[in-house]
Amino acid sequence: MSSTRPTIYFIRHGETDWNLEGRLQGQKDIPLNDVGRVQAEEAGRRLQALVPHVEDLDYVASPMLRTRETMELMRESMGLYPDYYRLDERLIELTFGAWEGLTWKEVRKLEPQLASLREQDKWNYAPPGGGESYAMLAERVRPILDDLTRDTALVAHGGVARAFLAVACGVSTRHAASIDIWQGKILVIEGRNHRWA
């Protein structure tokens, strides 16, 4: 992959009550909580400190409520029109299938064997009930990299960030599946390099 690819400023959505409770959200449309709204505004200030002309960036978000709220609060905090951005369905979070709404503790109690299988190979394991694996998610988001035409602020999800780290930066799939993706911070992806800001 060419190192001339535009820079991606990846922002994970702010905190939701389900994040706080450790529940698997996946594709459940949970809104931000008060902490999440503050994190979204903080992300805007961080982005403004990183990029001299934030108005020149392309802005793209997952269509989920928590990512749209984050994008709009972030843009507003930078003095930009809140709703001037694109949605991309491919950025939606991976689905945990039958496990959505549960905590990992509950999953391990209800389905210890399946939970163990996932722990052994997080990247390739797809939860029951139509769940997606990170490998499936990576194939879904890979084409987005080719579609970027300029430096882009992208608001999406923890799973999507892990897929980007593997696909764009060559992070090993084993490591990418377990890496912490922080809310309120910015993951800067430049060519095959990445850093937190």
Side-chain angles (χ1 to χ4, degrees), residues 7-12 43 46-47 50 152-154 157-158 160-166 169 171 179-182 184-190 193-197:
T7 298
I8 300 168
Y9 299 93
F10 190 106
I11 298 98
R12 181 184 176 195
R46 284 178 194 271
L47 187 60
L50 277 173
T152 301
L154 203 147
H157 309 270
V160 175
R162 293 180 187 103
F164 267 97
L165 286 169
C169 303
V171 173
I179 205 163
D180 284 329
I181 306 297
W182 308 105
K185 292 190 180 180
I186 298 175
L187 175 62
V188 182
I189 300 173
E190 299 169 290
N193 300 313
H194 67 280
R195 63 186 168 87
W196 285 101

Side-chain angles (χ1 to χ4, degrees), residues 37-197:
R37 287 188 276 278
V38 170
Q39 288 170 332
E41 292 168 355
E42 283 173 359
R45 288 190 288 276
R46 284 178 194 271
L47 187 60
Q48 211 159 19
L50 277 173
V51 181
H53 297 285
V54 288
E55 67 278 6
D56 293 339
L57 296 173
D58 193 9
Y59 288 84
V60 188
S62 156
M64 302 197 77
L65 179 59
R66 58 191 182 265
T67 42
R68 288 184 288 119
E69 281 186 299
T70 300
M71 177 67 89
E72 290 166 20
L73 287 166
M74 182 181 86
R75 286 181 56 85
E76 197 170 29
S77 76
M78 297 186 293
L80 301 175
Y81 290 112
D83 53 357
Y84 278 32
Y85 63 95
R86 298 185 293 117
L87 297 176
D88 192 323
E89 291 280 340
R90 297 170 297 182
L91 291 171
I92 200 166
E93 180 64 296
L94 59 76
T95 175
F96 287 100
W99 293 352
E100 288 191 1
L102 300 175
T103 64
W104 280 120
K105 187 177 179 180
E106 291 167 339
V107 170
R108 284 191 284 272
K109 187 176 177 184
L110 290 168
E111 305 195 76
Q113 289 174 312
L114 296 182
S116 176
L117 284 174
R118 183 180 187 273
E119 285 306 308
Q120 290 167 37
D121 188 4
K122 275 187 182 177
W123 189 261
N124 293 299
Y125 183 80
E132 275 181 296
S133 67
Y134 283 115
M136 294 159 74
L137 176 61
E139 288 311 304
R140 172 157 50 90
V141 302
R142 184 185 306 272
I144 295 170
L145 294 170
D146 297 327
D147 294 346
L148 298 178
T149 56
R150 65 184 203 259
D151 291 355
T152 301
L154 203 147
V155 179
H157 309 270
V160 175
R162 293 180 187 103
F164 267 97
L165 286 169
V167 170
C169 303
V171 173
S172 78
T173 55
R174 178 173 287 280
H175 181 56
S178 298
I179 205 163
D180 284 329
I181 306 297
W182 308 105
Q183 289 164 315
K185 292 190 180 180
I186 298 175
L187 175 62
V188 182
I189 300 173
E190 299 169 290
R192 290 184 65 80
N193 300 313
H194 67 280
R195 63 186 168 87
W196 285 101

